[in-house]
Amino acid sequence: IAALPHRRLWLGQTSAFATLAIEIEMGKKRPDLAVLKAQAALRDLPLARGLAHQYADVLIEAKNYSEAENFLRDQISLYRREAKLQHQLAKAYAAENKQALQHLALAEAYALEGALPAALQQLEIARAAPDVKYFDHSVIDAREREWKEKHKEELADEKKSK
């Protein structure tokens, strides 16, 4: 048990060093090397949330958009309450000019952050996007109903507390 704090310190330093090494590669404009270092770091420290976020950013910087999207969707399925993942996914979609999906991801992020009016506004933008698909409309409609009801409840609770 006495060795456990030492191991935690080592893991923290390893994560910090890995993050720094990745940042150095990005600073040197070598995104491909940064991706390789980020992949290795995530393999060694799969639960390091900061490394996961950095990996997604590096994939986007390296223009590996589909890989970034797949990685972020996997992360979102595991960590549903992390708004940052939705923001990163929106950034990947924006880089590929996937407007409807970009605004859907932003809507999800804002909803997670508790900004339901902003989330509902993003749904409207997504609905009007030129590349919106039938399935997207279904998601938009479902989320809109859910969030409008939740927002209505929040407003009612606010009135009660005054």
Side-chain angles (χ1 to χ4, degrees):
I1 279 190
L4 192 56
H6 173 70
R7 180 172 168 86
R8 276 194 208 128
L9 177 64
W10 177 82
L11 285 174
Q13 289 174 341
T14 302
S15 176
F17 290 140
T19 297
L20 182 59
I22 296 162
E23 287 298 320
I24 288 170
E25 295 305 336
M26 291 305 292
K28 291 181 177 181
K29 306 288 186 222
R30 298 190 299 212
D32 292 340
L33 284 175
V35 167
L36 292 175
K37 287 187 178 189
Q39 286 170 337
L42 267 181
R43 183 192 61 238
D44 295 342
L45 299 162
L47 298 177
R49 300 305 307 136
L51 281 174
H53 295 161
Q54 186 180 30
Y55 178 56
D57 286 336
V58 167
L59 287 173
I60 294 167
E61 278 295 313
K63 297 180 175 36
N64 295 347
Y65 304 123
S66 63
E67 192 176 338
E69 291 169 16
N70 290 334
F71 175 75
L72 286 164
R73 282 192 297 268
D74 287 346
Q75 290 294 300
I76 288 166
S77 71
L78 296 170
Y79 303 96
R80 296 183 191 280
R81 308 296 308 159
E82 275 192 38
K84 181 172 180 149
L85 295 171
Q86 292 287 355
H87 281 290
Q88 289 176 299
L89 185 57
K91 186 176 176 182
Y93 286 142
E96 288 192 290
N97 201 30
K98 294 179 178 179
Q99 295 174 33
L101 293 175
Q102 173 193 357
H103 292 288
L104 276 169
L106 283 173
E108 293 287 348
Y110 293 152
L112 288 170
E113 294 167 344
L116 289 177
L120 290 165
Q121 185 178 31
Q122 288 299 313
L123 289 179
E124 287 304 314
I125 296 169
R127 181 178 280 125
D131 61 343
V132 69
K133 294 184 175 39
Y134 178 78
F135 177 76
D136 300 333
H137 278 292
S138 300
V139 172
I140 291 166
D141 292 343
R143 288 311 220 182
E144 186 177 50
R145 280 190 301 277
E146 177 187 343
W147 293 341
K148 278 185 176 180
E149 184 61 32
K150 187 175 180 181
H151 186 59
K152 194 164 108 178
E153 290 170 8
E154 286 176 358
L155 291 175
D157 289 345
E158 217 174 87
K159 281 184 181 180
K160 286 179 188 176
S161 66
K162 286 186 179 181

